[in-house]
Amino acid sequence: MSTIARRPSMVELSQRILDMAKTGVYRESVFEALKPVATKKQIREAIAHAKKFGLHSVASLRDEELGTYYEVDLVKLRSIEHTISTSVPASQSTDLTKQTTDAIVTIRLMLTAAKGAAIALTIIGFAYLLTGKQQASFGLFSSAASAAGLWMLQKAFAKKVDGQS
């Protein structure tokens, strides 16, 4: 029977790397040690995250086969160690950028839909007015006014999001 193991988070990987680097560790050794629980990309991101907490390379100890040699600045690590668990990995900032971009695109689509609905309802309202259906045209004009109001409200929010106050 196989057991399914939980993959460690970026913060947990960074903590493991920092623990290994307290005595000094080569990059390839980090990859070998963490290979069963994380991908190379995740390990690289964890190394970049760990650099915020005192991980640094020692150029004079670089090895052709083992790569970069890492050590930890223990003074820096101890001074900010309590913030490791609450830190946000750098890779999440790209997610935030994507989310913001997606939100702006969605707002623009909503603007287009509200504007199109207002125009379409106005045109249909005039068509009903010309055919003598005043009650239906009044309902369509009211709906068009609501859609136009929604469009203006969304446009005001879009200006704030885009920073065009």
Side-chain angles (χ1 to χ4, degrees):
M1 176 158 86
S2 66
T3 59
I4 299 176
R6 180 183 73 81
R7 290 220 181 240
S9 69
M10 181 71 57
V11 173
E12 292 169 329
L13 287 173
S14 296
Q15 185 64 53
R16 287 186 188 179
I17 293 167
L18 289 168
D19 289 341
M20 285 188 255
K22 284 179 182 176
T23 58
V25 66
Y26 281 100
R27 185 177 180 94
E28 280 304 312
S29 299
V30 172
F31 284 121
E32 284 300 315
L34 298 177
K35 186 177 178 180
V37 296
T39 64
K40 277 196 168 195
K41 180 181 177 185
Q42 290 170 327
I43 296 168
R44 280 193 299 270
E45 289 173 355
I47 289 170
H49 182 252
K51 286 183 179 180
K52 295 178 185 177
F53 300 97
L55 182 73
H56 63 274
S57 59
V58 180
S60 62
L61 295 176
R62 179 164 173 66
D63 185 78
E64 289 297 319
E65 291 178 25
L66 299 174
T68 305
Y69 185 79
Y70 292 113
E71 287 182 343
V72 172
D73 180 356
L74 291 174
V75 174
K76 182 176 181 180
L77 178 63
R78 287 199 178 102
S79 68
I80 58 176
E81 194 167 30
H82 63 281
T83 63
I84 293 174
S85 61
T86 60
S87 66
V88 177
S91 64
Q92 290 186 355
S93 67
T94 58
D95 291 339
L96 182 62
T97 304
K98 184 182 181 314
Q99 288 173 354
T100 304
T101 304
D102 290 345
I104 291 171
V105 168
T106 302
I107 289 171
R108 287 190 179 141
L109 286 173
M110 289 170 44
L111 272 169
T112 303
K115 184 178 179 182
I119 291 170
L121 289 169
T122 303
I123 292 171
I124 295 169
F126 276 120
Y128 270 71
L129 187 62
L130 293 176
T131 60
K133 299 179 182 174
Q134 284 82 15
Q135 287 181 340
S137 66
F138 176 74
L140 289 165
F141 285 137
S142 297
S143 298
S146 296
L150 183 62
W151 172 67
M152 288 188 294
L153 184 64
Q154 288 175 342
K155 190 173 180 182
F157 284 137
K159 282 185 180 179
K160 286 197 182 269
V161 169
D162 283 340
Q164 300 174 357
S165 299

